[in-house]
Amino acid sequence: MNATAFFPESNSRVDLSCEIAGVRLSNPLVLASGILGTSAALMARIARLGAGAITAKSATRHPRAGHPSPILFDWGHGLINAVGLTNPGAEGMAAVLRQARAELAAMGVPLIASVFAASVAEFVEVARILATAEPDMIELNLSCPNVAAEYGEIFAASPKATAEAVAAVKAAVPGPVIAKLAPNVPDIGRIARAAEEAGADAITAVNTMPGMVIDIESGRPILTNREGGLSGPALKPIAIRCVYEIARAVRIPIIGTGGVLTGEDAIEMIMAGATAVGVGSAVAYRGLGVFRAIRQEMEEWLAAHGCRCLQEIRGRAHRE
């Protein structure tokens, strides 16, 4: 059954479908990794509520308990979090993905597995384990900012490291591979080009932005981990700029992610050059119905502007 069957209220005059590396999405809204993608039941629920694709939480080779609380704080202009990659490990996540894929496939909603690792060899090992669950795509989390103290420089800081991880995973697993990049690099277009040349089928841009918030009464950072990743409204202009630069540098699809709360935000991301749009912190701001709401807002905007499909506006900001 196609996912659109769950949403009879959709505007039939507007086609929101898109394609990433040969995988069709009924709409461009992708649940971002780390947001509710922790169990098959939650992933299926988000799919029923309107997501066009689901990204599971990043898996590491071995289980991780994550950082102690507090791990999340709303600082007024967005969220800052340092969850610490809590996950059941590669084998445990593969079991979750198998169950989730069975439910999502019945709805026509693609499943994206997510991998985090400390070395190229570990990226390959985890990706191979997750690939046994037959996800539609595998995303390489090359850019998580919350565990840098444990793992050192992120892969996405270097074109060479990015290319090595992408090429090794592409050679090891079937299906499309997505490179998830970081916003805090001097030339993100160069990093994206390295990923594309190494065989990446798509780019996710971007991960959260490293930051810190201090409680001025105690004089201490609010998060136990001290640093965390910024998401939500404050991240959107940064993400838009990153997507715009990547779209000028590569030909592969981009999942534009960062600060998308409304249909207008999603339209802006697509005008910057994104093929699809990641949705994460918006769940905290607008609830689980956010996917349906954003989709309806996109349809209304497109219809009001005489547009029948996303291709008519995709990359508009690049046009002379």
Side-chain angles (χ1 to χ4, degrees):
M1 182 183 298
N2 192 286
T4 55
F6 287 90
F7 311 110
E9 74 279 12
S10 292
N11 189 329
S12 60
R13 296 175 296 165
V14 176
D15 179 11
L16 290 185
S17 66
C18 63
E19 188 173 293
I20 300 173
V23 179
R24 184 183 181 276
L25 282 64
S26 64
N27 73 73
L29 305 179
V30 179
L31 175 69
S33 179
I35 309 295
L36 302 178
T38 54
S39 72
L42 270 174
M43 287 188 267
R45 184 179 182 189
I46 297 302
R48 292 189 187 97
L49 289 172
I54 301 291
T55 311
K57 189 167 176 60
S58 291
T60 51
R61 178 62 190 91
H62 302 290
R64 284 182 58 92
H67 298 312
S69 294
I71 57 173
L72 177 68
F73 179 68
D74 184 341
W75 56 284
H77 305 284
L79 305 178
I80 183 167
N81 86 86
V83 175
L85 290 167
T86 306
N87 75 96
E91 283 86 359
M93 184 57 75
V96 171
L97 292 174
R98 288 187 193 95
Q99 184 179 353
R101 189 179 187 281
E103 296 192 52
L104 296 179
M107 292 183 273
V109 177
L111 172 63
I112 305 171
S114 178
V115 178
F116 180 84
S119 67
V120 171
E122 194 173 302
F123 265 112
V124 169
E125 185 179 9
V126 176
R128 280 176 169 159
I129 294 170
L130 298 189
T132 62
E134 299 182 346
D136 296 280
M137 294 177 269
I138 292 180
E139 181 177 271
L140 304 184
N141 182 352
L142 303 169
S143 50
C144 182
N146 299 328
V147 290
E150 297 175 60
Y151 293 103
E153 184 178 71
I154 58 175
F155 278 79
S158 160
K160 183 176 183 291
T162 294
E164 287 175 352
V166 169
V169 173
K170 278 293 292 182
V173 301
V177 171
I178 305 168
K180 186 172 186 177
L181 303 185
N184 51 318
V185 295
D187 187 347
I188 197 168
R190 184 177 174 218
I191 305 292
R193 193 179 305 114
E196 180 183 44
E197 291 172 353
D201 299 283
I203 301 290
T204 294
V206 287
N207 211 322
T208 55
M209 184 80 176
M212 180 185 290
V213 179
I214 293 173
D215 174 10
I216 61 173
E217 298 303 323
S218 68
R220 298 178 60 83
I222 286 177
L223 300 182
T224 302
N225 192 59
R226 297 180 177 83
E227 298 181 14
L230 300 179
S231 62
L235 183 61
K236 194 189 78 169
I238 297 170
I240 293 289
R241 187 267 304 172
C242 289
V243 169
Y244 182 86
E245 291 188 4
I246 292 168
R248 293 196 300 179
V250 304
R251 295 182 178 274
I252 55 179
I254 304 164
I255 304 174
T257 306
V260 173
L261 301 185
T262 68
E264 288 78 9
D265 293 336
I267 294 291
E268 186 179 357
M269 194 69 81
I270 290 168
M271 286 184 174
T275 295
V277 180
V279 177
S281 296
V283 174
Y285 287 98
R286 301 185 67 184
L288 295 179
V290 67
F291 292 92
R292 184 178 298 174
I294 292 176
R295 191 197 63 199
Q296 290 177 340
E297 290 160 3
M298 292 180 73
E299 289 174 343
E300 290 168 4
W301 190 95
L302 290 165
H305 289 77
C307 300
R308 294 171 295 179
C309 65
L310 294 175
Q311 190 58 33
E312 295 181 40
I313 65 164
R314 183 169 291 116
R316 179 174 288 182
H318 297 267
R319 300 173 192 169
E320 295 295 336

